[in-house]
Amino acid sequence: MNSHQPELRAAVRRLGRRHFLTFTAAAAALAFATDLPAAGAASVPELDPRKLTENPFTLGVASGDPLPDSVLLWTRLAPRPLEPDSGLPEKRVVVTWELAHDEMFLRIVRIGTATAHPEFDHTVHVEVTGLDPDRQYYYRFRAGAWDSPAGRTRTAPAAGTAKSRLKLAAVACQAYHHGYYTPYKHLAGEDLDLVVHLGDYLYEYAVNSAGGSRNYTDRRLPAHFDRETMTLADYRLRYALYKSDPDLIAAHAAHPFVVTWDDHETENNYAGETSENNVPPEEFLLRRAGAYRAYWENQPLRTPQQPRGPDMRLYRRLRFGQLAQFDILDTRQYRSKPAYGGDWHKPGPDSEAPSRTMTGETQERWLLDGWKNSGATWNVVPQQVTFAQRRDVPTADFKLSMDAWDGYPAARKRFLDGAEAAGVENLLVLDGDAHVGYGFDLKKDFDDPASRTVGTEICTTSVSSGRDGADKLPNWDHLIQANAHLKFYSGRRGYTVITLGTDRARADFKTVSGVTEPGGTLTTAASFVTEAGRPGLAPA
């Protein structure tokens, strides 16, 4: 991307946003093909597997988006992942994959081959079909003489199945330079059906040679990480750094992931085509295109999520029998420009305008229509930012976060009104972003503490962002006093385990003692339940 950037910038300025996707030369230069492989890639030579003299599976394996009859398997070939070319030439590599009933791979269910194309940074996405519903499987890859680590995954229950339990973990916000991924080390050992990642898998900020707060003494990171990510090459390298962490590798191998992004996978606090620093949209879209491409390449996502230039449909729906429907949202790509600069601010005409949207009109309609046909006991909405009202002080001069749903109250009202109109009784909103753990009752009218409770919100704390944190942050008293619907608040790092049952859901907020040094211990900070048909949190 670097070598083409001046020409692309000139082309986008000339053509404008509307024609960006159809500008063939720009798309080809960026390798933003809509099919595998890109035009002309058939002529790319194949690498003799005997030339793989180093382990290419340094970034592990992953699976995601389970369906009743299918799983998505992922890996990336990178013998030297922290180098710009990952230690591979510009050649395609044939990879063998296996799926088995047992971890010894004695009962093979499926076997096949896939091609790791250099245009996709030698990533592999395999959609395995024809599987049994609600069943555990093991998988692995082979390239040349090298075998990947084995991964474990699970298909979803069949439609209409009355499954009695679904257990998941919610995670978010894993700034590499803020600490070790100790929560993932513990999460890898949990008995889970899936992990839901709610955004900020990657941070665009520079990482110095000591790994920031990790303060490495046994290694030095290359200098190309000590700058902000701007190009496709930058984002690819940054994913390699993050995904080289052994605790993250272990978590991906242990459980299927369902992912959505927030802002830092591209740039802090961006909104649609508006960048944090207000660079021209045509300039920012080039950066967004590179970020989106690298995101898809490095996540266990299916073909429908493959981006087209600076656009990528990430919102999607997953069902788990009659027990749960997951409507995974994207609240970054389509949102209105933030009011009052996106900071904490007193609500006013700019933030309260009825036309403001968090999801865009198309996604909003998709969500509301999907609820009408749900029929699930639990309607779960994984999304990015704090949904409930969150006043900063218990006085009349309170401020709200304009980057969260408080900056888009009309969109929040349409969301809650739509759930009510669709007959959704058990609404569970999941989010991250805040680097703290919250448990909220969702109110019909947040300005009236006596208003009816219409749903439940679980905000999971960060994996590492914010460094070690504390049980009670300086604003703890103010937030608790200002928001009667806030039932839990902790500033430690960790994750949240959520168990959905036929009659109740349980949330266990799990925190670690610290992340700036390895080896932190795990504690269950608090546990809450919400009864089916009676929304709201109560201590377990």
Side-chain angles (χ1 to χ4, degrees), residues 116-135:
H117 291 277
E119 294 88 354
F120 290 85
D121 206 26
H122 292 105
T123 56
V124 178
H125 295 73
V126 177
E127 298 185 38
V128 186
T129 60
L131 304 180
D132 295 330
D134 200 19
R135 182 157 190 170

Side-chain angles (χ1 to χ4, degrees), residues 493-535:
R493 311 284 74 83
Y495 57 94
T496 308
V497 173
I498 300 161
T499 307
L500 304 178
T502 55
D503 59 348
R504 65 170 56 184
R506 177 186 176 106
D508 294 301
F509 291 91
K510 300 198 174 189
T511 58
V512 295
S513 54
V515 295
T516 53
E517 295 183 2
T521 57
L522 185 72
T523 301
T524 300
S527 298
F528 292 86
V529 296
T530 178
E531 304 288 341
R534 298 180 60 189

Side-chain angles (χ1 to χ4, degrees), residues 72-399:
L72 186 286
L73 308 181
W74 174 94
T75 194
R76 175 179 167 185
L77 306 185
R80 296 191 293 276
L82 304 190
E83 296 181 6
D85 63 0
S86 299
L88 286 175
E90 288 291 310
K91 295 183 179 181
R92 53 193 168 95
V93 183
V94 175
V95 179
T96 300
W97 57 268
E98 295 177 326
L99 191 79
H101 284 312
D102 64 303
E103 56 187 325
M104 299 299 293
F105 289 85
L106 299 176
R107 293 181 292 152
I108 302 293
V109 178
R110 295 281 189 280
I111 188 169
T113 61
T115 300
H117 291 277
E119 294 88 354
F120 290 85
D121 206 26
H122 292 105
T123 56
V124 178
H125 295 73
V126 177
E127 298 185 38
V128 186
T129 60
L131 304 180
D132 295 330
D134 200 19
R135 182 157 190 170
Q136 183 171 274
Y137 291 94
Y138 295 85
Y139 63 97
R140 65 185 178 188
F141 297 87
R142 179 176 293 117
W146 300 93
D147 287 339
S148 75
R152 181 179 59 193
T153 191
R154 190 176 191 91
T155 51
T161 301
K163 184 177 176 68
S164 61
R165 192 195 82 157
L166 181 69
K167 192 173 183 181
L168 62 115
V171 297
C173 304
Q174 53 193 54
Y176 186 96
H177 58 293
H178 278 189
Y180 291 89
Y181 290 165
T182 306
Y184 278 130
K185 181 177 182 180
H186 295 285
L187 182 147
E190 295 270 8
D191 176 21
L192 301 172
D193 294 294
L194 72 156
V195 175
V196 179
H197 199 294
L198 297 159
D200 293 344
Y201 189 101
L202 180 93
Y203 278 70
E204 77 277 27
Y205 301 139
V207 181
N208 66 20
S209 62
S213 294
R214 296 188 177 211
N215 196 25
Y216 291 140
T217 58
D218 61 342
R219 75 198 81 169
R220 309 305 287 176
L221 298 180
H224 51 243
F225 293 112
D226 199 9
R227 63 172 183 255
E228 185 170 342
T229 54
M230 298 295 294
T231 70
L232 175 59
D234 290 340
Y235 286 105
R236 283 171 165 173
L237 274 166
R238 197 60 53 87
Y239 277 107
L241 176 64
Y242 275 56
K243 294 177 81 69
S244 67
D245 181 275
D247 294 327
L248 179 56
I249 289 174
H252 271 300
H255 313 294
F257 271 54
V258 173
V259 301
T260 188
W261 56 34
D262 194 17
D263 52 343
H264 288 289
E265 287 90 348
T266 301
E267 181 196 53
N268 179 54
N269 285 354
Y270 84 94
E273 300 173 6
T274 303
S275 78
E276 178 184 27
N277 298 313
N278 291 313
V279 301
E282 61 269 17
E283 294 269 352
F284 177 65
L285 287 172
L286 289 172
R287 179 179 185 177
R288 200 177 89 171
Y292 284 13
R293 176 57 172 258
Y295 183 83
W296 181 84
E297 289 175 344
N298 285 281
Q299 297 291 4
L301 289 165
R302 295 177 181 267
T303 302
Q305 276 64 62
Q306 188 176 327
R308 292 171 176 257
D311 297 331
M312 177 173 166
R313 176 168 169 166
L314 191 59
Y315 65 89
R316 61 206 188 279
R317 181 169 292 122
L318 297 173
R319 295 184 174 90
F320 294 84
Q322 296 178 350
L323 187 61
Q325 174 173 297
F326 284 63
D327 293 292
I328 302 108
L329 299 188
D330 173 1
T331 65
R332 280 293 164 190
Q333 188 175 179
Y334 314 106
R335 65 160 67 185
S336 302
K337 186 176 180 178
Y340 307 111
D343 298 322
W344 286 77
H345 196 278
K346 187 74 176 175
D350 287 355
S351 61
E352 296 179 339
S355 61
R356 289 179 57 72
T357 179
M358 187 64 113
T359 61
E361 183 180 354
T362 300
Q363 184 181 189
E364 183 176 293
R365 177 48 52 197
W366 168 87
L367 174 65
L368 302 188
D369 288 346
W371 279 335
K372 295 175 184 177
N373 301 315
S374 169
T377 301
W378 298 97
N379 285 99
V380 185
V381 184
Q383 53 95 46
Q384 290 73 26
V385 294
T386 304
F387 185 84
Q389 187 182 86
R390 186 175 36 146
R391 299 184 179 187
D392 65 338
V393 292
T395 54
D397 60 345
F398 67 86
K399 296 178 181 178

